[in-house]
Amino acid sequence: MAYKQQVNIVAVVDVIGALSGGTLLNGNLCMMDNSDHDSTGQGTSHLCTVVRPGQVVQWTVLAVDLQTPVEIRNITFLGPDGGATPTERLSGNGDGDKLDLAHWAGMVPPSLTPGTPYKYRLELQMYEGAHSVLHVDSPALMGA
């Protein structure tokens, strides 16, 4: 069976709710994908996207209120202990001094073990300031 060359993940953020509550949880983040497989957690912050080695995964972030800025600051894959795995970081497609990243993309490595979820930290920047960066560690990619 042929499969899509790219899987898209869309993260929709209630920026005002997230900043007011200090969290992307509690309904402030809704994630969906267009995987050909049965991803779980569609519409929640616990999305587990089913992918195949060699596929491109592209993340896009949108604000519920289109006047409110939200950008992807970083995506970091987590190890079994929940800590960052430096060799599995994705880098954005922009310049580090000026955040303007509505899209991130990376390729699924051939070493992805089927059936094992690989959690990642999705860091989002909303506005500027001390409390403008929030993250969730609940989404994951899983090999088909």
Side-chain angles (χ1 to χ4, degrees):
M1 174 176 149
Y3 61 92
K4 294 177 184 171
Q5 294 294 318
Q6 179 171 306
V7 173
N8 299 297
I9 297 173
V10 177
V12 179
V13 183
D14 175 357
V15 174
I16 294 168
L19 290 174
S20 296
T23 183
L24 289 169
L25 300 175
N26 303 330
N28 294 323
L29 175 65
C30 171
M31 297 178 72
M32 298 145 291
D33 68 42
N34 69 339
S35 175
D36 288 333
H37 305 285
D38 293 328
S39 297
T40 59
Q42 295 278 4
T44 73
S45 60
H46 299 279
L47 177 66
C48 184
T49 302
V50 180
V51 294
R52 292 191 172 275
Q55 275 186 313
V56 172
V57 179
Q58 178 173 287
W59 287 263
T60 302
V61 64
L62 302 168
V64 172
D65 172 5
L66 298 179
Q67 302 296 318
T68 315
V70 60
E71 298 164 345
I72 298 171
R73 183 176 175 103
N74 200 13
I75 295 175
T76 307
F77 283 86
L78 305 175
D81 62 352
T85 307
T87 58
E88 295 190 31
R89 292 179 191 267
L90 297 176
S91 55
N93 56 351
D95 140 358
D97 295 331
K98 179 178 179 262
L99 288 177
D100 190 14
L101 303 175
H103 307 280
W104 277 49
M107 186 174 289
V108 177
S111 59
L112 195 72
T113 305
T116 301
Y118 290 89
K119 287 194 173 191
Y120 59 89
R121 176 172 295 147
L122 176 65
E123 287 182 63
L124 302 177
Q125 173 135 14
M126 297 156 276
Y127 293 106
E128 295 179 3
H131 304 286
S132 64
V133 177
L134 297 174
H135 73 271
V136 291
D137 289 350
S138 52
L141 296 182
M142 183 169 66

